[in-house]
Amino acid sequence: MSQSGTPVPAPARVTANVIRGCLGNLVEWYDWFVYATFSVYFVSVFFPKGNPTAQLLSTAVVFAVGFLMRPLGGWLLGAYADRHGRRRALTLSVTLMSVGSLTIAFTPSHDAIGLWAPALLVLARLVQGLSVGGEFGSSASYLAEIAPPGRRGFYSSFQYVSIVLGQLAALLVMIVLQNLLTEEQLQSWGWRIPFVIGAVAGLVVMYLRRTMEESRHFQEEQARAAAQDPAVKERKGVRALFAEYPRELIAVFGLAIGGTVAFYTYTTYLQKYLVNTAGIPKSTVSVIGFAALFVYMVLQPVAGHLSDRVGRRPVMFVFCVGGMLLTVPIMTVLGNTGNPWIAFLLMTIALTIVSCYSALAAIIKAEMFPTKVRALGVGLPHALVTATFGGMTEPIALGLKNSGHETVFFWYVTGCVALTLVATLLVREPSRTSLLEAGEAGEAPASRPLPKTAPLT
């Protein structure tokens, strides 16, 4: 029992809550990746018939519009989570994603409704971008707060497990449908199936998330705010974030830049790189990518558990030093090998290094902020970095290749990882006697001044 009288969840209940939270994250990222995976099949449905390249470009632009909505989602849903609770924000997030998928699944073709078809597609992607942008901060805050002391790194690492699993699920659905349906059936109506699957799964997860327990830390923060003297004006939301936690915001930006660029380089762009530069067949690259991503997914809880044992910063330093020293050699060798086994080995090594960031991406940022601004503090800067650096990773890589300066991209990734190293130096390890542990031992969290880093209170 905590100081506020709120019961501390038992380990089994913690696991159940983490599963509910991560299932929603999985569904959200499945829906997000399904658009990119199946766009080649539905492109002619939403846009006027004509130039296939122009049609594909139109779907890419719509995808980018969804990306640009993520900062707005990080702001709005992050503030909502800090004001109304993690459970309500996560439920709203997966509901928005489900609505977006349903809209795409049942929107008539351009031949049937004209310009309303691309308009509804854009609207659906705007809603989905809002959803994904708000999911990260709320989910990171919830997983960090619901996990028991000493295991927060382990439980929080499942956020990226669910992200990668969503990507793999989208790819698996495509493989199954390609084997069950003809090309004509996929282009006619089969492409709608994965969106229906995502929408239905989202509605199921919406119900499951409504049954999650609210974070004890949020409940205690609500109790603290209610007991506060009304005459005392306390900053909240974005005003509090920028006025009281500028150092933490800069650290989150820096941490996210290198980690995000490396993540998109090795999980998304690398498969195109192996085809276009290394000359490995597409079918072989798909198998390499699937296998390497599966290993990467399994490594997340390993790295998270390690951070609970040795600390966050040492694990992050592995990512920073490994990324700075090995990015150029790995990318250089990958570009000059036609051996699929060597490609798989190097991709796995690269993703092993990235796992030392991604497994900690939620917890190391969540520990920087107090409960009142945690979801916003994690979600907003992360969404801004993802929409800019993450969204531009592939265009920068392809642009440099097209101009004959492909190796410059390797150094670009290295430089971004160097920024994460600088940010890691700004992060202080949570004390073993931090306010969170003190509160769980029976001491009121508000009884001492809040340190500006790693309070998780």
Side-chain angles (χ1 to χ4, degrees):
M1 186 77 70
S2 68
Q3 176 73 10
S4 65
T6 307
V8 178
R13 288 161 57 198
V14 170
T15 301
N17 286 319
V18 168
I19 290 173
R20 291 186 184 101
C22 288
L23 279 175
N25 207 29
L26 187 160
V27 170
E28 294 232 4
W29 284 96
Y30 163 84
D31 284 333
W32 186 256
F33 286 119
V34 153
Y35 179 94
T37 304
F38 283 87
S39 61
V40 66
Y41 293 110
F42 65 71
V43 59
S44 60
V45 174
F46 290 101
F47 298 97
K49 289 182 172 61
N51 189 336
T53 302
Q55 291 178 332
L56 285 172
L57 180 60
S58 298
T59 61
V61 170
V62 175
F63 185 79
V65 167
F67 239 98
L68 294 176
M69 283 295 290
R70 290 171 70 165
L72 183 60
W75 172 30
L76 295 178
L77 288 181
Y80 183 83
D82 288 332
R83 182 176 293 272
H84 299 289
R86 292 34 171 140
R87 180 178 62 190
R88 292 176 66 177
L90 288 170
T91 302
L92 175 59
S93 174
V94 78
T95 303
L96 289 173
M97 182 60 75
S98 185
V99 168
S101 290
L102 275 176
T103 301
I104 296 174
F106 292 108
T107 295
S109 68
H110 183 273
D111 290 343
I113 61 173
L115 292 177
W116 281 106
L120 287 172
L121 179 65
V122 170
L123 179 62
R125 289 303 289 178
L126 289 175
V127 171
Q128 290 187 321
L130 196 73
S131 170
V132 170
E135 174 75 14
F136 187 88
S138 301
S139 179
S141 299
Y142 184 77
L143 292 177
E145 293 170 357
I146 202 71
R151 303 207 70 193
R152 294 196 175 94
F154 173 76
Y155 279 109
S156 295
S157 70
F158 282 90
Q159 183 168 32
Y160 264 82
V161 170
S162 56
I163 289 175
V164 178
L165 196 55
Q167 188 173 1
L168 292 176
L171 182 59
L172 184 61
V173 168
M174 183 181 73
I175 293 171
V176 171
L177 290 177
Q178 285 174 334
N179 283 276
L180 292 178
L181 303 176
T182 65
E183 188 82 6
E184 292 74 20
Q185 288 173 326
L186 276 170
Q187 291 183 346
S188 176
W189 54 268
W191 64 267
R192 298 182 187 270
I193 295 175
F195 290 101
V196 173
I197 292 172
V200 173
L203 292 174
V204 173
V205 171
M206 177 187 70
Y207 169 76
L208 291 176
R209 280 188 163 180
R210 291 181 63 186
T211 65
M212 292 191 312
E213 296 180 51
E214 181 55 86
S215 155
R216 177 177 62 80
H217 299 280
F218 176 77
Q219 292 175 325
E220 290 182 342
E221 170 60 22
Q222 290 291 90
R224 182 199 67 79
Q228 190 175 27
D229 185 350
V232 177
K233 297 295 183 181
E234 184 179 26
R235 293 191 189 98
K236 294 183 179 180
V238 173
R239 289 178 59 247
L241 189 64
F242 283 90
E244 300 175 20
Y245 305 97
R247 183 176 180 271
E248 289 75 10
L249 276 174
I250 293 172
V252 172
F253 271 111
L255 288 170
I257 287 172
T260 298
V261 169
F263 175 80
Y264 279 97
T265 296
Y266 292 115
T267 64
T268 305
Y269 172 67
L270 193 64
Q271 297 188 43
K272 296 180 179 66
Y273 178 73
L274 290 175
V275 173
N276 296 332
T277 300
I280 300 176
K282 291 180 181 179
S283 57
T284 304
V285 168
S286 296
V287 175
I288 292 171
F290 191 96
L293 282 172
F294 183 84
V295 174
Y296 173 61
M297 178 182 69
V298 173
L299 287 173
Q300 301 307 302
V302 176
H305 175 69
L306 184 62
S307 77
D308 288 329
R309 299 295 298 273
V310 304
R312 316 292 185 222
R313 290 178 69 185
V315 178
M316 283 294 297
F317 281 136
V318 172
F319 163 71
C320 296
V321 175
M324 291 172 63
L325 295 179
L326 296 179
T327 295
V328 174
I330 285 175
M331 294 296 288
T332 301
V333 175
L334 279 172
N336 290 280
T337 184
N339 188 317
W341 289 104
I342 293 177
F344 168 72
L345 177 62
L346 290 176
M347 185 175 181
T348 302
I349 291 173
L351 288 172
T352 300
I353 294 171
V354 176
S355 69
C356 292
Y357 161 79
S358 55
L360 276 62
I363 188 63
I364 198 170
K365 297 166 187 173
E367 287 176 332
M368 293 184 195
F369 300 96
T371 305
K372 69 174 185 176
V373 293
R374 182 168 294 127
L376 183 61
V378 174
L380 179 57
H382 179 87
L384 284 168
V385 170
T386 303
T388 51
F389 286 87
M392 289 301 296
T393 298
E394 191 168 308
I396 289 174
L398 293 173
L400 288 170
K401 176 179 176 59
N402 191 54
S403 65
H405 300 91
E406 188 170 35
T407 57
V408 174
F409 176 70
F410 311 160
W411 291 103
Y412 167 75
V413 176
T414 301
C416 290
V417 174
L419 292 176
T420 296
L421 174 62
V422 174
T424 302
L425 296 174
L426 296 176
V427 177
R428 299 172 192 160
E429 284 288 356
S431 169
R432 290 289 183 183
T433 56
S434 69
L435 289 185
L436 186 141
E437 279 71 26
E440 286 163 346
E443 182 179 346
S447 63
R448 295 186 289 170
L450 292 174
K452 279 201 170 184
T453 56
L456 201 55
T457 59

